[in-house]
Amino acid sequence: MRWPTALVVLLAALVADVSFMGVLELGGVTPRLVCVAVAFAAMQAEPGAARWYAMLAGLLVDLSEPSMAGPRAPLYLIAPWTLGVFFGAEAVLSLRGIVVRKNPLAVGVLAGVLTLSAGLFWTAWWALRSWYPDSPAPWGTGSALGEFGRQLLTAISTGVCAVPVGWLLLRSGGMWGFPSVISRQRGGGQARIIRE
Amino acid sequence: MRRIPPIVIAVAFVMLLGLVPARWVAPWSSDLSAVVWVPLSPLAHAGTSIRLWLRPGNAASREADASVVEERDRYRGLWHAEQIKVQELEKRLRAYEVAAKTSRGGDAKFAAASVLTRSASGGGFALKLNCGSRQGIAAGDVVLFGGDAIAGRIAPDVGNVTSTVMSVADRASGRVDAYITPAAQEGAKRTEPISVQIVPDGRGQLRADIDLGSAVAAGDMVRVRDPAWPQGAQGMRIGVVREVRRKDAQPLRGEAIIDPVVDGSSVGEVVVRVSNGGTP
């Protein structure tokens, strides 16, 4: 995976998420382009690179979405999205073998899976953190289950949005420098990978 | 001995970071966020502008002479603030006191700011602004939108060039003393405001206990009258009554459900009332 390309796409997705994507907001639910970018990379890239990319993406999201801590200070808590997106990417890595990677619909489905996994982890982490007196949960007095329902809707909207975005990303596949699996050595269980 | 993969160490480190108390993380993570967002802010500003152009948030922004409407709202807010002052002066006169303080708002100035990012927080929203302590902004300053509508207050930990707005619907905002002016009395020379104490419900709305027999109705305007808030915020709009209903726990009492007057998704530019005499 070519990191300069991946980083440009990630930053563009991050900026769009926090500023522009509100234009697609429906009932308080907004798709997350960062999750689409990570899902796409996790579908195509080497597992190691995909994991680091997911962690970086989650870290940037954590640094973009503050939560108001107890004494009214904005708290940029590093972990909920960082780990959530990481584990979401792990889910994509384990599922990518059963989908057609060059199909935009597959990007949509796996982006939805990643967003749902990340949202589930984010909700669980904040539910755990809300036991701390200085870290109230971002969803206020609502329940964690209700918040997870919102994350489910976000995952669905992200999946829908990921189909056209995935098509664009697939068209730009050559710029990413993903490896292409030509053959597998079944005996040793190792994939022989060469660059496109 | 088998070497531990770096990604495992990174995950463990992040897990540890996510579990430490907020007071250990907040100071440096805010700075890290500011550093990350310095180069991205112009792009985010452009994205926000495009979003607001494609999907304008309220009717006022679609009006051809939105600036006139804004001017009207600003002076209407000032007028309400003056009304409060008149009532205070009358009270003092009745008690044979001399009104020594005649200037309201002190030497407060205004600083225009653009919204860089928006996120949900505590049932309300948090807006990141492109101005900070260098422009004289300090924690607790009131953030206005569209003349006299209060979007929220500046949260602590103001950066040099960035700051965060905590919305009035954020649960961390706590209770606010306010008063409700019946819609029929808006613009009237003498009004009969109904004092209430509003509380964020954590779901994006505000609630206030009221007498069921009072004249409060849907559409009535809610304005700030809280001594703990800056003088310049008194009389400004904070919400609109959505509905009045009987309290389940106290059937003889009523409860007003109030929508914040500012919708976080429609805010692109705001004005910060700098109350510490800074130089915006």
Side-chain angles (χ1 to χ4, degrees):
Chain A
M1 185 170 78
R2 285 195 196 111
W3 277 95
T5 306
L7 287 177
V8 167
V9 172
L10 178 59
L11 292 176
L14 180 74
V15 168
D17 273 352
V18 299
S19 60
F20 175 73
M21 290 305 284
V23 80
L24 298 178
E25 182 177 312
L26 277 177
V29 173
T30 312
R32 287 183 174 275
L33 287 183
V34 167
C35 290
V36 179
V38 174
F40 176 73
M43 285 174 70
Q44 313 283 348
E46 309 93 325
R51 289 187 182 107
W52 283 112
Y53 190 60
M55 281 201 80
L56 179 65
L59 175 68
L60 290 174
V61 175
D62 274 333
L63 290 175
S64 307
E65 297 185 357
S67 170
M68 296 298 173
R72 297 186 177 189
L75 170 64
Y76 294 88
L77 182 66
I78 294 169
W81 281 118
T82 308
L83 296 175
V85 177
F86 173 79
F87 289 122
E90 282 291 338
V92 173
L93 285 171
S94 63
L95 290 174
R96 68 179 184 175
I98 60 171
V99 298
V100 180
R101 298 187 196 181
K102 299 287 185 186
N103 190 332
L105 286 175
V107 179
V109 171
L110 291 188
V113 169
L114 187 145
T115 311
L116 185 62
S117 308
L120 176 61
F121 190 91
W122 181 88
T123 309
W125 195 270
W126 270 111
L128 178 72
R129 282 283 312 195
S130 64
W131 292 350
Y132 292 25
D134 62 351
S135 303
W139 52 82
T141 54
S143 67
L145 192 63
E147 177 61 24
F148 180 64
R150 203 180 66 84
Q151 296 290 347
L152 176 64
L153 294 176
T154 302
I156 293 170
S157 71
T158 302
V160 172
C161 181
V163 176
V165 176
W167 180 80
L168 284 174
L169 290 173
L170 285 169
R171 300 278 293 178
S172 68
M175 293 161 58
W176 288 73
F178 291 131
S180 173
V181 179
I182 298 299
S183 66
R184 292 180 182 276
Q185 294 177 329
R186 293 184 183 276
Q190 292 281 325
R192 186 159 64 86
I193 294 172
I194 63 169
R195 301 248 167 219
E196 278 181 339
Chain B
M1 186 178 156
R2 195 180 166 193
R3 189 166 162 266
I4 302 172
I7 191 78
V8 175
I9 297 172
V11 168
F13 178 67
V14 172
M15 276 189 169
L16 194 66
L17 271 183
L19 289 172
V20 297
R23 64 178 181 278
W24 294 358
V25 182
W28 62 266
S29 65
S30 297
D31 293 342
L32 185 60
S33 170
V35 169
V36 167
W37 274 96
V38 161
L40 300 178
S41 294
L43 296 172
H45 189 196
T48 301
S49 302
I50 295 170
R51 172 171 61 85
L52 293 174
W53 176 64
L54 289 172
R55 193 172 170 174
N58 54 14
S61 62
R62 287 193 291 271
E63 290 181 21
D65 54 352
S67 61
V68 176
V69 174
E70 190 171 315
E71 194 80 356
R72 180 202 68 187
D73 290 346
R74 183 177 296 127
Y75 282 109
R76 191 169 59 184
L78 290 173
W79 180 83
H80 277 277
E82 290 301 325
Q83 285 287 98
I84 294 173
K85 188 186 166 195
V86 167
Q87 289 168 8
E88 287 175 355
L89 287 174
E90 286 176 347
K91 200 184 295 178
R92 289 186 179 195
L93 280 172
R94 280 197 296 273
Y96 303 100
E97 289 180 355
V98 177
K101 188 179 178 183
T102 53
S103 62
R104 62 165 290 281
D107 57 351
K109 295 172 181 173
F110 294 96
S114 298
V115 175
L116 299 178
T117 69
R118 174 178 67 94
S119 58
S121 172
F125 56 84
L127 303 174
K128 192 167 192 175
L129 305 182
N130 68 344
C131 60
S133 57
R134 197 170 287 175
Q135 286 78 29
I137 287 169
D141 284 352
V142 176
V143 181
L144 302 172
F145 175 69
D148 70 338
I150 295 177
R153 296 181 75 178
I154 298 291
D157 284 347
V158 179
N160 281 337
V161 291
T162 59
S163 53
T164 307
V165 182
M166 182 172 57
S167 75
V168 293
D170 195 306
R171 207 171 46 153
S173 292
R175 295 173 183 273
V176 180
D177 290 339
Y179 67 96
I180 298 175
T181 309
Q185 295 180 17
E186 279 285 332
K189 193 173 179 182
R190 300 292 293 181
T191 60
E192 294 177 8
I194 300 154
S195 295
V196 291
Q197 193 173 52
I198 56 176
V199 186
D201 65 1
R203 290 190 286 273
Q205 290 175 320
L206 308 162
R207 286 165 192 264
D209 283 358
I210 57 166
D211 185 353
L212 266 181
S214 65
V216 176
D220 289 353
M221 199 62 72
V222 185
R223 295 175 184 275
V224 172
R225 183 164 58 187
D226 192 330
W229 281 52
Q231 187 75 4
Q234 309 299 324
M236 299 288 178
R237 289 182 294 154
I238 195 169
V240 183
V241 176
R242 173 195 280 256
E243 64 171 306
V244 177
R245 60 187 180 202
R246 190 183 297 275
K247 288 189 80 172
D248 294 335
Q250 298 167 281
L252 297 179
R253 297 284 296 169
E255 185 180 44
I257 314 297
I258 299 163
D259 286 330
V261 75
V262 176
D263 174 15
S265 64
S266 65
V267 176
E269 303 282 338
V270 294
V271 173
V272 183
R273 190 182 167 96
V274 183
S275 56
N276 65 353
T279 54

